[in-house]
Amino acid sequence: MFHARPHLETHSRAEAHSAVAGAAYRLGLKLYDRRLKRAFDFRKRVAGDEIVFQITVAPDGAPAWATDPLELWNRVELAERRKDAQVARDYRVPIPLGLDDSAVAAFASDMARYLARQLTTPVSVGVHRDAPITAFGVAKTPEQIGCHAHLYFPTRRVLLDDAATESEAKGGSGMGEKLSFLSNKSTSGYFVEETNRVWAELANTYCRRAGLPTDFDHRSSRRMGLKVRPQPQLGAAATALERAKVPTRKGQAVREAAAMAEIYKRAHAARMRQGATPLFMPPQPGAAKSGYIEFSPLKASADAVADRMAASTASARAQAGANGPPPSLTERFRTLYFAGLEEGSRPEETLVFRLVRAIEWLLTRMTRLAAQNHELRQETAAAATARLDALADLDAWKAGPAAHDDDDQPPKTAWSRVVDGVGQWWDSNQTATQRERAESDARTEQQLHARVVSTEQRVQDLQNERKPVLDQAKHDKAKLRRALRDLRDAHEAALPQLLAVSLAEEREWIEAYMPELLGPTQEIEDDEGGRARLPRPKVTPRSPTSYGTGGRA
């Protein structure tokens, strides 16, 4: 089963955020912002956003005010001087379904104490009840309503013990240095990864105690080796409109994704009945669980398409041999497309088949370009890392002891310089040693500069090499989109059939354009024997657009 994962976001004054307001909302309190001279009252909550639990924790040795939300978050604002300062971070944590409120509170508290220890900063915890309706306004069952936790913490460490007492005596804020490593993805990645891992372990621990499935994992689907295409996201604005029964473009994309999920589900079941290789079925989107499957224009034909897809694919593989290569995309499509038609009524040279051959040629080249781009991207990333290492080595060398031997010495008088000159004249060995060291430093600096220039040139060369590959891939993607659209226009039933017979790699490319290409399709008719049969294809006399297939189309 797939679960939502934690998400970390930053609140900044540049986005008109107030740390006091953010804490008041997450904790469900009324707090007064002394900087803005304004009170924020979030004690009244709407249904589905009530506060289940709230607490503020602090690391050991922190002053007493670190657990008082009013004092804490006003001191956080006081510590920041810039008008675009980052004031707080919100770590939004999903909580497993099925836990009671006491377990939910304990789970959120454990996560907060972990963050407080690791970052040496206070953490305000607000556990919110999930909305009782879906993004499309459909009521959830009680089992589907869970909770999520907001772990809200400052962007600075808090001063501890004596340092905190000294800061308060001087009228300071009591907040220490910035947690600057969290401001950059390249430096925050390890910490976020480790925190997500702790979240997954805690979730499995609490689920084990409650007798629930322990299948939480902090890794992405790609890292787990699962070829899953993410469900389209609605966002807050589109969700509000959809709940108000106002259709949106994003909502349309989610509903169409739900329709395709139903196609996959039924195709998978049909393949299993035929004893064929299981067809991977992506997780069914939330919209599909909310009764929106009826929207699918393919629903009436899904079972028939799935059954014939499983039979035709198994037959094609059997013809190629158990260990032989699978048939081409055009051959697989032909087997399914002509199912139920007599031998003499199968038009081979129609626009539909010319488009399918063009699509197959484009998919082959796009797969090759994708592999080439991946290799170049990895080489570019390695070269960029080498460049950063070279720059860091050069900066470290410049800032080393050799560059500052005389920086802290007071200026010498004229008589001292004369005495030093006489001493150097007598100590020729010392003068030679200093000269050798200066020459060695010059050579080292020259080598470090040369390394920086070399790595910069390597990055530039790889970027120049990658550019034509990206341009060609972009050009081919536009051609594929146009070819799929023309295929849908030529025969609407051909597009779901093409997707049904596609292998995993081919399907991944085609699915990228399915939401914008799906449209009304023809119903599948039943012949006298009860077998599902597609209507006769619509043969269009026009020529297909040139797709760069080298004359094969």
Side-chain angles (χ1 to χ4, degrees):
M1 182 177 179
F2 295 95
H3 303 282
R5 295 191 298 158
H7 175 70
L8 179 66
E9 66 178 19
T10 300
H11 287 187
S12 169
R13 286 179 184 167
E15 302 294 333
H17 288 143
S18 162
V20 178
Y25 170 76
R26 283 153 185 81
L27 302 181
L29 301 175
K30 179 180 181 180
L31 299 179
Y32 182 78
D33 190 329
R34 298 166 189 162
R35 182 180 67 90
L36 298 178
K37 295 180 174 56
R38 175 184 172 188
F40 295 93
D41 190 354
F42 290 98
R43 291 173 295 181
K44 294 181 180 179
R45 315 293 292 196
V46 298
D49 195 30
E50 63 266 22
I51 303 298
V52 178
F53 172 76
Q54 66 93 359
I55 192 175
T56 299
V57 300
D60 294 337
W65 53 259
T67 56
D68 179 2
L70 176 63
E71 189 66 25
L72 165 64
W73 291 105
N74 273 289
R75 285 175 178 262
V76 168
E77 286 286 353
L78 178 63
E80 304 299 339
R81 303 296 184 186
R82 296 170 58 98
K83 65 180 181 181
D84 60 346
Q86 295 179 344
V87 292
R89 291 189 171 88
D90 183 18
Y91 187 59
R92 192 178 190 276
V93 179
I95 297 179
L97 288 173
L99 299 181
D100 57 29
D101 288 353
S102 61
V104 166
F107 178 92
S109 299
D110 287 347
M111 281 300 305
R113 292 189 179 93
Y114 170 80
L115 282 177
R117 287 194 307 269
Q118 295 297 315
L119 300 177
T120 317
T121 193
V123 181
S124 289
V125 183
V127 178
H128 296 197
R129 188 85 65 193
D130 291 337
I133 58 175
T134 68
F136 297 99
V138 179
K140 296 179 182 178
T141 63
E143 295 75 17
Q144 293 175 319
I145 302 176
C147 298
H148 62 275
H150 292 272
L151 276 58
Y152 203 60
F153 58 94
T155 57
R156 293 179 180 272
R157 303 183 191 276
V158 66
L159 296 178
L160 305 178
D161 301 324
D162 294 340
T165 304
E166 182 180 353
S167 175
E168 289 186 27
K170 295 179 180 180
S173 65
M175 303 302 297
E177 62 179 345
K178 273 276 191 181
L179 298 166
S180 55
F181 75 96
L182 288 177
S183 300
N184 192 313
K185 286 187 177 181
S186 61
T187 55
S188 65
Y190 175 78
F191 176 79
V192 174
E193 171 82 3
E194 185 65 14
T195 306
N196 289 350
R197 184 189 63 78
V198 171
W199 162 80
E201 290 182 354
L202 274 176
N204 287 326
T205 299
Y206 277 89
C207 285
R208 190 180 301 109
R209 294 173 183 172
L212 301 172
T214 56
D215 54 357
F216 283 81
D217 198 308
H218 68 288
R219 296 172 298 169
S220 65
S221 300
R222 177 176 295 180
R223 291 173 57 194
M224 288 190 289
L226 303 176
K227 293 185 177 180
V228 179
R229 184 171 298 280
Q231 174 185 332
Q233 298 297 313
L234 279 179
T239 299
L241 290 172
E242 290 287 344
R243 285 177 176 171
K245 305 303 180 183
V246 178
T248 63
R249 178 181 57 82
K250 291 182 178 180
Q252 182 86 344
V254 172
R255 285 188 285 267
E256 288 172 350
M260 291 311 305
E262 181 70 5
I263 290 291
Y264 276 120
K265 179 180 177 181
R266 299 184 183 195
H268 173 77
R271 286 175 67 88
M272 296 304 292
R273 288 196 299 270
Q274 295 289 337
T277 304
L279 176 68
F280 173 74
M281 183 187 69
Q284 189 171 351
K289 299 176 183 178
S290 305
Y292 273 87
I293 284 301
E294 286 70 15
F295 168 84
S296 172
L298 304 176
K299 183 178 187 300
S301 59
D303 287 328
V305 170
D307 287 334
R308 289 183 293 117
M309 181 274 292
S312 62
T313 305
S315 174
R317 287 189 178 275
Q319 294 176 6
N323 300 320
S328 68
L329 177 61
T330 304
E331 292 171 347
R332 282 176 268 136
F333 176 79
R334 181 185 293 110
T335 302
L336 180 58
Y337 192 70
F338 283 153
L341 296 181
E342 299 297 333
E343 188 71 30
S345 60
R346 299 180 177 181
E348 292 283 350
E349 288 303 320
T350 64
L351 175 61
V352 168
F353 279 96
R354 290 199 294 273
L355 289 169
V356 171
R357 285 194 293 268
I359 290 170
E360 181 180 7
W361 186 87
L362 285 169
L363 290 175
T364 301
R365 187 164 72 175
M366 289 171 66
T367 302
R368 176 175 54 82
L369 289 174
Q372 187 176 355
N373 177 49
H374 177 70
E375 182 179 351
L376 288 173
R377 183 171 56 190
Q378 287 185 322
E379 293 182 13
T380 303
T385 301
R387 173 181 172 275
L388 292 175
D389 291 342
L391 288 170
D393 291 344
L394 179 59
D395 291 341
W397 184 85
K398 287 182 177 180
H404 302 291
D405 282 347
D406 301 325
D407 285 357
D408 299 328
Q409 299 296 329
K412 294 184 177 181
T413 63
W415 174 249
S416 298
R417 291 195 296 271
V418 171
V419 172
D420 290 345
V422 174
Q424 291 177 6
W425 177 73
W426 284 105
D427 192 357
S428 58
N429 290 335
Q430 182 181 1
T431 304
T433 301
Q434 292 175 347
R435 186 166 53 250
E436 288 175 0
R437 194 178 78 171
E439 292 174 355
S440 175
D441 289 347
R443 285 194 301 270
T444 302
E445 184 173 2
Q446 184 178 6
Q447 292 172 356
L448 291 173
H449 273 295
R451 181 182 164 200
V452 170
V453 172
S454 174
T455 53
E456 287 178 346
Q457 185 61 46
R458 175 62 175 164
V459 172
Q460 186 62 44
D461 291 343
L462 287 170
Q463 289 175 343
N464 293 338
E465 187 177 353
R466 190 181 172 199
K467 187 177 184 305
V469 176
L470 294 175
D471 291 342
Q472 183 63 56
K474 182 179 179 180
H475 190 56
D476 285 352
K477 287 178 182 178
K479 288 183 177 180
L480 178 63
R481 184 186 293 108
R482 193 163 64 247
L484 290 169
R485 186 179 295 113
D486 287 349
L487 180 63
R488 180 202 58 186
D489 294 341
H491 189 196
E492 293 172 349
L495 190 56
Q497 287 185 318
L498 180 68
L499 184 67
V501 300
S502 298
L503 300 179
E505 296 83 0
E506 299 162 340
R507 187 165 60 246
E508 187 173 351
W509 287 111
I510 297 174
E511 280 179 336
Y513 307 111
M514 287 303 291
E516 62 185 77
L517 296 174
L518 272 177
T521 187
Q522 302 177 30
E523 299 289 331
I524 289 187
E525 304 167 352
D526 289 336
D527 57 17
E528 295 179 355
R531 297 173 299 175
R533 180 176 64 83
L534 284 170
R536 294 296 298 271
K538 176 179 64 178
V539 180
T540 308
R542 63 186 178 89
S543 299
T545 309
S546 174
Y547 299 102
T549 58
R552 293 178 57 187

